[in-house]
Amino acid sequence: MLIVLDAVVSFRSVPRILELFHSQTSLELPWTPHFTSVINWSLRVGLGLLRQVCPTCEPWIAIIDYSIDIGTKKALVVLRVKTQSLRQRGSAIQLQDCECIGLKVRETVNHQTVCQDLEDIFAIAGVPQAIVKDCDYTLAKGVRHWSAKQGKPVPVIDDIGHCMASALKSQFEKTADYKAFTAALGQGAKCLRQTEFACLTPPKLRTKGRFQSISKLGEWGAKMLDVFAVKGGAKKGSVLAKLRTVFPGFLRMKPFIERFALTTKIVSEVMEIIKNKGLNKVTYQQCYQLSKTLPRNSKVKTHLQAWLKKHVQIQAELTELPLLSSSDIIETLFGNYKYMLERSPQADMNRSVLLIPALCGSRKEAVIDQALNKAFQVDLAHWEEKNIPYTVRKKRQEFFKHKSQKSGKIITD
């Protein structure tokens, strides 16, 4: 299981790796498990970890998010992170610092399902000090409805990364200067990509969530301004001559590029501080001073200062420790799970979603043994029947089994 979870190799590779160790080293193995056994053991660990979730006396914060759509389903995942983890780690938290306390798979997602799922999860795990989430409207409304049902409302922390991405998008996306800049880069990238100057190709803009990694583009633009800042003609065949050809009018965009690069640089510095040190009075002052270097009419400046003021008050009310203000760790968890799932030729969310609890927290031998003793093969089958009523594979089998292709009807039961 650790070969799969830590080395991140396919299940089918495990028997081959063990056989290689057996034949090429002094390691003696009485038998080599079949890869399906490794799958079942790994999923049993995930289910066992979920089954042993219970309240804790230590203060903690919940991080919640939905996975991307896999097939027709989404999974709501709730992580528990102890409030003191950020200080103990001394940097951004890692998956070892998290415990998956909730996993709900749904095909239809709205604020009511979010509210209901949170009620079920926190009824078992206890109520957190605060909830960290991104800017998703459905999540926000669901959390708000759940919090309203509590005796004392639970503070909600808006992820710093998503908030700053929204601010950057609001300030730049619809401006003529930004559109002209990205259009010029897109055209220039096509001319550079298959040449000896491909190393100077601008960062590729993501279709989704592009403003969460836009700082790379600002950094590239600032460096290219220095390259272009050469007076006079360029030597034929030189790098500068090529760049002037593929990026005509680049220097005319200098005022915008400088403003854009400065803004993204300040945002990156603020997020580095918040994500690694958390939010407290010291980091609040550091970030607020950085925000003052932004232009007076900057929307990013307004959003950043408002976020800082709101969340430093939450920190003061909750704890003396730095406040965890980023949900990046749950994105990392989803990324690891997606990487493992992509090996499937027909990706669909199935019982393999139980790998998510196994991908975080402690993987000590005692923890794994305890989890295995909490979930057996029959429990795995019951969980799948209840939470994953059908998959692409099951629908295909039923379709051909009942020969429903004659009527064109898809059986989903």
Side-chain angles (χ1 to χ4, degrees):
M1 288 184 294
L2 291 180
I3 293 176
V4 173
L5 300 176
D6 287 347
V8 196
V9 301
S10 68
F11 291 108
R12 291 179 180 271
S13 300
V14 173
R16 300 175 187 176
I17 292 172
L18 293 177
E19 287 171 358
L20 179 65
F21 272 93
H22 180 61
S23 63
Q24 300 297 325
T25 71
S26 58
L27 178 65
E28 294 185 3
L29 298 173
W31 63 286
T32 301
H34 194 263
F35 76 91
T36 55
S37 297
V38 184
I39 293 175
N40 290 328
W41 292 336
S42 301
L43 299 183
R44 281 175 55 197
V45 167
L47 181 57
L49 290 172
L50 286 176
R51 285 187 154 200
Q52 60 190 21
V53 170
C54 60
T56 176
C57 58
E58 295 186 58
W60 58 282
I61 289 177
I63 305 178
I64 70 172
D65 199 3
Y66 268 106
S67 70
I68 61 170
D69 294 275
I70 302 177
T72 58
K73 307 179 192 72
K74 278 187 175 184
L76 174 68
V77 175
V78 181
L79 300 182
R80 173 157 58 193
V81 182
K82 295 178 181 177
T83 308
Q84 60 182 353
S85 295
L86 202 60
R87 175 175 287 182
Q88 288 177 340
R89 173 69 61 180
S91 60
I93 61 171
Q94 298 181 11
L95 288 174
Q96 297 93 309
D97 305 314
C98 306
E99 177 190 3
C100 182
I101 60 172
L103 175 64
K104 298 289 185 178
V105 179
R106 287 193 181 268
E107 187 170 345
T108 301
V109 175
N110 53 48
H111 72 276
Q112 294 175 333
T113 63
V114 172
C115 180
Q116 182 60 55
D117 290 343
L118 292 180
E119 284 183 5
D120 296 341
I121 292 168
F122 292 143
I124 298 173
V127 178
Q129 276 195 318
I131 294 177
V132 183
K133 64 165 190 62
D134 61 22
C135 300
D136 180 75
Y137 175 77
T138 302
L139 271 182
K141 190 173 181 180
V143 171
R144 189 166 62 249
H145 279 236
W146 171 83
S147 183
K149 296 181 179 181
Q150 308 307 306
K152 181 181 178 181
V154 176
V156 177
I157 302 168
D158 297 315
D159 169 59
I160 181 66
H162 286 82
C163 287
M164 291 299 96
S166 296
L168 288 166
K169 182 178 181 179
S170 175
Q171 178 166 336
F172 292 113
E173 187 178 45
K174 295 183 179 180
T175 63
D177 288 337
Y178 176 78
K179 292 178 180 178
F181 178 58
T182 53
L185 297 192
Q187 188 61 38
K190 295 178 182 179
C191 301
L192 289 176
R193 201 162 283 133
Q194 303 298 327
T195 70
E196 59 183 316
F197 305 113
C199 59
L200 301 177
T201 304
K204 186 176 180 180
L205 291 176
R206 296 162 56 184
T207 304
K208 185 177 181 180
R210 66 171 56 185
F211 284 93
Q212 288 183 291
S213 58
I214 203 73
S215 59
K216 295 180 182 179
L217 188 61
E219 184 181 355
W220 179 89
K223 290 179 179 179
M224 292 302 290
L225 283 177
D226 293 336
V227 175
F228 275 86
V230 177
K231 296 181 179 179
K235 185 177 179 181
K236 186 176 181 180
S238 66
V239 176
L240 181 58
K242 178 68 173 179
L243 291 176
R244 284 179 175 176
T245 302
V246 299
F247 297 116
F250 193 86
L251 284 178
R252 290 197 296 270
M253 304 179 196
K254 182 177 180 179
F256 166 78
I257 297 174
E258 288 179 336
R259 186 170 71 255
F260 178 71
L262 172 65
T263 303
T264 56
K265 180 174 180 290
I266 295 301
V267 168
S268 293
E269 291 177 359
V270 167
M271 288 198 293
E272 184 176 0
I273 293 172
I274 298 296
K275 290 180 179 182
N276 285 284
K277 299 180 180 179
L279 182 65
N280 56 17
K281 292 180 180 179
V282 175
T283 55
Y284 168 81
Q285 289 296 333
Q286 291 174 341
C287 295
Y288 201 85
Q289 290 301 319
L290 283 171
S291 71
K292 289 182 177 180
T293 61
L294 293 170
R296 180 179 299 178
N297 61 346
S298 170
K299 292 182 180 179
V300 173
K301 179 179 182 178
T302 303
H303 281 73
L304 175 55
Q305 291 182 347
W307 186 93
L308 288 169
K309 290 177 181 178
K310 173 185 174 182
H311 290 82
V312 77
Q313 291 179 355
I314 295 176
Q315 185 271 335
E317 294 171 1
L318 286 182
T319 177
E320 296 179 356
L321 298 171
L323 184 68
L324 178 66
S325 305
S326 171
S327 63
D328 279 4
I329 194 64
I330 204 167
E331 301 291 347
T332 301
L333 179 60
F334 286 148
N336 290 352
Y337 171 63
K338 182 183 176 184
Y339 178 77
M340 300 180 76
L341 197 67
E342 281 177 343
R343 301 189 184 99
S344 172
Q346 288 187 323
D348 184 43
M349 188 170 289
N350 49 44
R351 66 178 189 155
S352 67
V353 74
L354 285 172
L355 283 172
I356 289 178
L359 289 171
C360 57
S362 172
R363 295 193 191 128
K364 295 180 180 178
E365 185 175 351
V367 174
I368 292 178
D369 285 343
Q370 187 176 1
L372 285 171
N373 290 329
K374 286 282 185 178
F376 298 94
Q377 189 63 32
V378 65
D379 301 318
L380 200 59
H382 289 162
W383 186 93
E384 182 182 9
E385 183 179 353
K386 178 181 177 181
N387 295 275
I388 314 288
Y390 72 89
T391 62
V392 168
R393 176 172 164 269
K394 288 181 180 178
K395 288 176 70 174
R396 183 174 65 250
Q397 289 176 341
E398 289 295 321
F399 180 82
F400 289 111
K401 178 181 177 181
H402 296 284
K403 299 181 180 181
S404 57
Q405 65 272 25
K406 293 182 179 179
S407 62
K409 180 181 179 181
I410 299 294
I411 296 175
T412 57
D413 294 331

